[in-house]
Amino acid sequence: MQTILVIDDDELVSRTLQRALKLYDYQVMVANSGTEGLHMARRHRPDLLVLDVIMPGTDGYQVCRQVRGDPMLKNVPILFLTAKSKDEDKIEGFRAGGDDYLAKPFNMQELQLRIKAILRRTTKSQIDESAGQIAIGEVVLDTRTFKVTTPVGTKLLTNVQFDLLYHLMSNAGEVFTSQQLLQDVWDYPRDTGSPELVRAHIKNLRDKIEPEPRRPAYIRTIQGHGYTFAL
């Protein structure tokens, strides 16, 4: 049984989520502050964090950054669930290391589908160590270590970044729309994911691998069509 840790200072919301998600056969833990949530995450290492942003003390963005900086937790997927619904709030969440972002008020069925998609792609990303490497020009992706080597150095990728780069490099030269990437890479049901999520992860990936992220040489935008890994 997969474990979800809900971190939300609104006890009514967190307990409602706990009861609802248990109906989908998840084990659900609850923390009502960022600090408590970090302690619980380190003790139990959940399969997914559902994280509010607006909390006293350590807010959700800070929690996310600390999780991403923790060697034991850095690959745990994070879904932001918050009343902060502006585009800049979502971008801040993705920059902090979030995998997805859903605004309150929310539909429980959509939340369940988002969680299912995140957990499915996390499981899928456990690559066979014998798979080796994908190399295209100056870019080498090591599927055993989740590291990518380019002229700017060697960087460790998150699960989300790895899945995205793996897909683009495996299909180099092919152009993918945001909707295709949401479905092909992260198993989102049709029309449930946001193109903003794709744009944010493309930007984060470019920041890691491109010599000039504002003028990408590898992951290129084909105006009006989508994204491609250049041959």
Side-chain angles (χ1 to χ4, degrees), residues 172-211:
E174 187 173 345
V175 179
F176 295 94
T177 65
S178 293
Q179 190 57 237
Q180 285 176 310
L181 291 173
L182 286 166
Q183 292 178 246
D184 295 348
V185 179
W186 299 304
D187 292 323
Y188 272 84
R190 184 178 296 275
D191 299 325
T192 62
S194 169
E196 294 170 1
L197 184 150
V198 177
R199 285 195 291 270
H201 289 313
I202 288 284
K203 181 184 181 303
N204 290 341
L205 191 52
R206 282 171 171 164
D207 286 343
K208 281 194 173 181
I209 74 170
E210 297 282 358

Side-chain angles (χ1 to χ4, degrees), residues 45 66-75:
R45 200 187 183 282
Q66 289 192 50
V67 168
R68 290 291 172 254
D70 188 317
M72 295 296 294
L73 299 174
K74 62 185 178 183
N75 290 324

